């Protein structure tokens, strides 16, 4: 939010978005809930470790945000179970997205570029070797596939999020002009 207005960020066009800081998990939960609530055909892919971190009870180590009861998370989990795929490992998650990339690319070719794709959001922790995930972020950009990384995402930008949901700073080797306006904005929190 900025001055009472909602600012949208297309994770598919950012070539991946890293989130760090005390508010990173809440901001990621909010992205997940917002995507699934606003796009009836949207899907997500998470690793089991990320799923556990995002959907564990609010009484866990991360403090709850005001106005964000755990009921929001439970509702999102119940209402979108078929739209949220949990993979056992990072490798499995990346493989499933690579298969989806091939399918969406083939569909675009078969329809002469007229196919439209529902948003798909991949949420993972920062991998030791980012090359495979970076290739997915680059190829997925035009195909409705976004990447959110819990941790520093060196190939693109990383937002450090405060406990209150405010973006403190944006990190990256070459921060685009639009991203320089993010510090000070408040993310949705869930």
């Amino acid at each position: 939010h900025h001055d009472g207005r909602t600012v949208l960020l297309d994770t598919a066009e950012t070539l991946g978005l890293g989130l760090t800081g005390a508010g990173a998990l809440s901001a990621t939960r909010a992205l997940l809930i917002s995507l699934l609530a606003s796009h009836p055909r949207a899907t997500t892919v998470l690793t089991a470790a990320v799923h556990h971190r995002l959907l564990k009870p609010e009484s866990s180590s991360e403090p709850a945000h005001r106005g964000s009861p755990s009921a929001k998370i439970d509702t999102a989990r119940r209402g979108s179970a078929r739209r949220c795929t949990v993979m056992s490992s990072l490798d499995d998650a990346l493989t499933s997205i690579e298969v989806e990339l091939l399918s969406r690319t083939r569909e675009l070719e078969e329809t002469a570029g007229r196919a439209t794709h529902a948003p798909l959001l991949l949420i993972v922790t920062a991998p030791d070797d980012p090359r495979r995930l970076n290739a997915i972020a680059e190829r997925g950009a035009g195909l409705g596939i976004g990447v959110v990384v819990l941790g520093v995402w060196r190939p693109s930008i990383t937002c450090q999020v405060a406990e209150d949901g405010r973006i403190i700073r944006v990190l990256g080797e070459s921060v685009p002009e639009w991203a320089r306006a993010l510090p000070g904005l408040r993310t949705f929190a869930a």
Side-chain angles (χ1 to χ4, degrees):
H1 287 299
H2 180 63
D3 297 331
R5 297 176 318 209
T6 299
V7 178
L8 300 176
L9 178 66
D10 185 347
T11 57
E13 296 300 322
T14 63
L15 303 180
L17 172 66
L19 294 170
T20 63
L25 287 177
S26 285
T28 305
R29 276 187 215 105
L31 275 170
L32 176 65
I33 291 167
S34 176
L35 174 72
L36 295 176
S38 62
H39 297 282
R41 296 184 322 128
T43 56
T44 60
V45 174
L46 320 166
T47 61
V50 167
H51 180 262
H52 175 73
R53 286 178 66 192
L54 289 177
L55 301 179
K56 63 186 173 182
E58 286 291 335
S59 61
S60 65
S61 61
E62 182 172 308
H65 291 276
R66 286 175 294 213
S68 59
S70 60
K72 286 183 184 177
I73 297 164
D74 293 339
T75 300
R77 196 176 345 179
R78 281 194 306 270
S80 56
R82 293 178 308 275
R83 296 170 47 208
C84 184
T85 302
V86 179
M87 305 302 285
S88 61
S89 68
L90 176 63
D91 186 57
D92 289 345
L94 297 180
T95 299
S96 74
I97 298 298
E98 288 165 339
V99 168
E100 183 64 21
L101 279 168
L102 290 173
S103 173
R104 289 179 181 212
T105 300
R106 187 175 322 113
E107 187 179 357
L108 273 179
E109 290 170 356
E110 291 171 355
T111 62
R114 291 187 306 267
T116 58
H117 299 104
L120 188 157
L121 183 63
L122 172 64
I123 306 173
V124 297
T125 54
D128 293 331
D129 181 354
R131 291 179 291 188
R132 189 172 170 203
L133 183 56
N134 189 45
I136 287 171
E138 288 176 353
R139 289 181 180 94
L143 298 171
I145 298 174
V147 174
V148 171
V149 176
L150 292 173
V152 175
W153 181 232
R154 297 200 192 293
S156 185
I157 64 168
T158 299
C159 292
Q160 184 179 1
V161 183
E163 186 176 343
D164 67 357
R166 191 176 34 81
I167 297 173
I168 299 170
R169 80 178 111 237
V170 178
L171 310 167
E173 289 186 25
S174 61
V175 177
E177 188 63 37
W178 61 265
R180 292 187 183 133
L182 294 176
L185 297 181
R186 188 172 312 277
T187 63
F188 288 108

